[in-house]
Structure formats: structure tokens, C-alpha cells
Amino acid sequence: MHSCAVRCCDDQRKQPRMDNVQSCIDDCAIPLLKAQDYMQHELGRFQIQLQRCVMQCNDDARSLIPNNTNEADMARFRNQFERCTIQCVDKHINLLPNMMRAMKSVLATGPNAMRHA
């Protein structure tokens, strides 16, 4: 991006108008902005998946709690929720290497490959 922007400034002799130079520099930033948008989208998806998993643990634990629960039972349900949450985190940590490889691959192919739903 920076090399491209330098060329825009060097080409100022051909395009002496400042708005032409700024437009050229803005065009240089497009691949970087697409890469940034792609990364934010992928990381956001990962975070949402993890949150959904933890929310499911919470829902599952709450559905098991009867109205007249004593402190010992509550401790058991908290323990169950914590185990489930740890499993969610472990599962998502294990997904990171493949996710990183996929993102690196997409980033290496260039801005046109960085589309997302």
C-alpha cells in the first residue's frame, strides 16, 4: 500500500491535481481495507460461535435447576456449567490453527478472494 501511495505522489507530475493524487492513494488502500474487513469478519464469526457454545452451556445448566434447589445442588450445576464452558473453549482453541491457515491462504490470494457473506 505504501509503495503504491509513493508512486501516486511520484506521478504527481502527470496528475498535478491534489484530488487525483488523493484518489490514487485511496485506491492503494483498498486491498488493505478489504483484508482488514475480512479479518474482522472471520474473527467476529469465531467469537460468535464461542459465545453461542457458552450460552448453550448456560441454557443447559439452567434447564436442570429445579425451583427448590439447595446450595449443594447449585454448586453441582455451576460445576457442570464450568465443565461445559471449558469444553467450548478447548474446542474453539483447537479450531484456531485451521482457521489461521485458511485466513492466511485467503489473504495470500489477494483482495478479490476476501469476500464474505
Side-chain angles (χ1 to χ4, degrees):
M1 179 188 114
H2 296 297
S3 304
C4 178
V6 167
R7 284 191 300 277
C8 293
C9 294
D10 287 345
D11 290 344
Q12 187 174 351
R13 292 180 294 271
K14 298 175 195 167
Q15 303 174 9
R17 295 187 46 206
M18 190 60 182
D19 57 339
N20 289 342
V21 173
Q22 185 60 50
S23 176
C24 179
I25 291 171
D26 291 344
D27 289 345
C28 292
I30 290 172
L32 177 64
L33 294 174
K34 283 185 175 185
Q36 182 180 12
D37 183 50
Y38 169 73
M39 292 294 293
Q40 286 176 335
H41 174 77
E42 292 301 308
L43 293 173
R45 277 184 41 207
F46 177 82
Q47 184 176 12
I48 288 168
Q49 290 172 349
L50 178 57
Q51 287 171 340
R52 276 197 314 248
C53 187
V54 172
M55 282 191 298
Q56 186 63 51
C57 292
N58 187 42
D59 291 345
D60 291 347
R62 284 181 184 265
S63 69
L64 297 174
I65 300 173
N67 288 338
N68 56 348
T69 303
N70 61 37
E71 195 56 40
D73 287 339
M74 283 304 291
R76 189 169 47 89
F77 294 126
R78 267 193 301 274
N79 190 325
Q80 180 178 344
F81 168 74
E82 289 170 3
R83 281 194 318 266
C84 182
T85 301
I86 289 168
Q87 288 174 345
C88 287
V89 171
D90 288 345
K91 173 186 170 189
H92 283 80
I93 286 173
N94 290 333
L95 295 174
L96 286 174
N98 285 339
M99 185 177 118
M100 294 301 294
R101 274 192 292 281
M103 288 191 305
K104 284 179 182 180
S105 175
V106 168
L107 290 171
T109 60
N112 292 331
M114 292 178 223
R115 295 188 181 113
H116 53 73

